[in-house]
């Protein structure tokens, strides 16, 4: 899972910008410790073909996603802990 992509989505959501809801849900489905959203956890307003403005997200779930994105490093060692070391360049 790309923590950088999750951070970008969260920044857009916090700013009230429209996001591709399908892609966002697919991205967070890859987080094994996240149980997803119930229907009451997420409210959205359709903006475009696949884009929505998320008007409400359960605060606890949003805090979990922020914590998860912030705790993921952006180096090869952090990537290895997530089984994703090949996504980062080698320092040597």
């Amino acid at each position: 899972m790309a923590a950088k992509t999750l951070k970008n989505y969260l920044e857009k959501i916090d700013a009230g910008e429209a996001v591709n809801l399908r892609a966002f849900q697919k991205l967070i489905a890859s987080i094994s410790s996240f149980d997803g959203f119930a229907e009451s956890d997420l409210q959205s307003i359709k903006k475009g073909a696949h884009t929505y403005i998320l008007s409400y997200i359960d605060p606890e779930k949003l805090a979990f996603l922020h914590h998860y994105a912030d705790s993921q490093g952006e180096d090869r060692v952090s990537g290895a802990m997530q089984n994703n070391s090949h996504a980062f360049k080698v320092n040597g």
Side-chain angles (χ1 to χ4, degrees):
M1 205 266 311
K4 192 172 189 178
T5 305
L6 179 59
K7 285 181 185 180
N8 289 339
Y9 273 110
L10 293 174
E11 286 173 3
K12 286 183 178 184
I13 291 168
D14 291 341
E17 297 177 19
V19 296
N20 184 327
L21 188 56
R22 285 186 194 168
F24 176 65
Q25 289 179 326
K26 185 177 179 180
L27 178 69
I28 61 173
S30 67
I31 302 172
S32 61
S33 57
F34 188 72
D35 60 353
F37 291 111
E39 191 172 320
S40 62
D41 293 338
L42 187 69
Q43 294 177 1
S44 60
I45 301 167
K46 189 169 177 105
K47 188 72 175 171
H50 298 287
T51 57
Y52 293 80
I53 295 175
L54 300 178
S55 57
Y56 172 79
I57 297 179
D58 180 82
E60 289 181 16
K61 294 199 178 201
L62 184 59
F64 173 86
L65 291 174
H66 274 288
H67 176 69
Y68 183 85
D70 292 339
S71 68
Q72 306 303 308
E74 296 184 13
D75 62 354
R76 191 169 178 88
V77 174
S78 313
M81 291 181 189
Q82 302 170 44
N83 218 10
N84 193 23
S85 63
H86 292 283
F88 300 95
K89 294 182 178 180
V90 178
N91 293 339

